[in-house]
Amino acid sequence: MMAFFSNLDANSDITDITFNDRPRLGPMDKASQEIMRGKSSFSVAEREIMAAYVSGLNACSFCHGSHKAVAEQLGIKPVIIEQLVEDIESAPIKEELKPIFHYLKKLTVSPSKIVESDVQKVKKAGWSEDALHEAILVGCLFNFYNRLLDGHGVKGNKAIYQFAGEHLSKNGYGVPWFIGLIKNFIKKSKLKKLKELENKGHIN
């Protein structure tokens, strides 16, 4: 599927949007790094599960596929995320995490219906207000990215998801200040890597 904008194509990813609007979207790189890789009550893998879960609820194929791939690189079986999207209670995750995912679901699907009792369920499971704040940040971040990608028509494919999974698991979300100077080099390197992944069978 082709993207909706003339500067995007079937091999585009989130960076093809953010790199072209650094004044407005550049700060999101630092925020993403802090939220997804900074100090947190949740492990990096748990935050990646949250990212893939929220994206699955939104049916954002790019973020769901990419962050499922990141989680897999961190030792999480993709089927766990699919089970979470299907039914939180029967999913094979720690019991204390389930109220967090219920909160993320409500935040994503019907945010105006969140009530005090939802917060209390999270606290009863042993989480602090700081921990809930951290989970909310992940949920908000990926609701934003899901809409950014789907709004531009960027859907990706299995090779791109695998590429993103390998890159984010190794390098995180930070982007150097001089990114504008090396965009063309990055694009060529990405296309070469995508071709390698497709040849290995990671093709859509």
Side-chain angles (χ1 to χ4, degrees), residues 65-132:
S66 296
H67 292 278
K68 199 163 57 170
V70 180
E72 186 174 14
Q73 290 284 327
L74 297 170
I76 305 300
K77 294 179 179 178
V79 68
I80 292 175
I81 297 166
E82 298 300 339
Q83 288 175 287
L84 264 174
V85 173
E86 185 68 27
D87 178 48
I88 295 169
E89 288 305 313
S90 63
I93 61 168
K94 293 184 288 187
E95 284 299 314
E96 60 266 31
L97 281 171
K98 291 180 180 180
I100 292 288
F101 282 95
H102 279 294
Y103 201 96
L104 286 171
K105 182 175 183 177
K106 206 165 186 180
L107 181 65
T108 299
V109 176
S110 54
S112 64
K113 294 183 180 179
I114 291 175
V115 293
E116 177 66 25
S117 61
D118 296 315
V119 177
Q120 293 306 319
K121 288 175 185 175
V122 171
K123 289 183 176 181
K124 189 176 180 180
W127 300 104
S128 65
E129 288 185 357
D130 282 346
L132 179 55

Side-chain angles (χ1 to χ4, degrees), residues 7-8 12-30 32 62 141 144-145 148-149 152 154 173-176 179-180 183 186:
N7 64 314
L8 303 171
S12 292
D13 59 29
I14 187 69
T15 63
D16 293 301
I17 299 171
T18 61
F19 287 7
N20 285 321
D21 192 356
R22 300 312 289 163
R24 287 179 288 195
L25 295 176
M28 292 299 298
D29 297 326
K30 183 177 181 180
S32 299
F62 187 96
L141 183 69
F144 173 82
Y145 280 137
L148 185 67
L149 284 153
H152 286 81
V154 175
Y173 294 74
V175 174
I179 194 68
K183 280 196 298 185
I186 291 172

Side-chain angles (χ1 to χ4, degrees), residues 30-38 40 47 134 137-138 141:
K30 183 177 181 180
S32 299
Q33 179 67 14
E34 287 298 318
I35 292 168
M36 298 302 292
R37 294 292 184 270
S40 175
R47 281 175 274 175
E134 291 158 4
L137 288 177
V138 176
L141 183 69

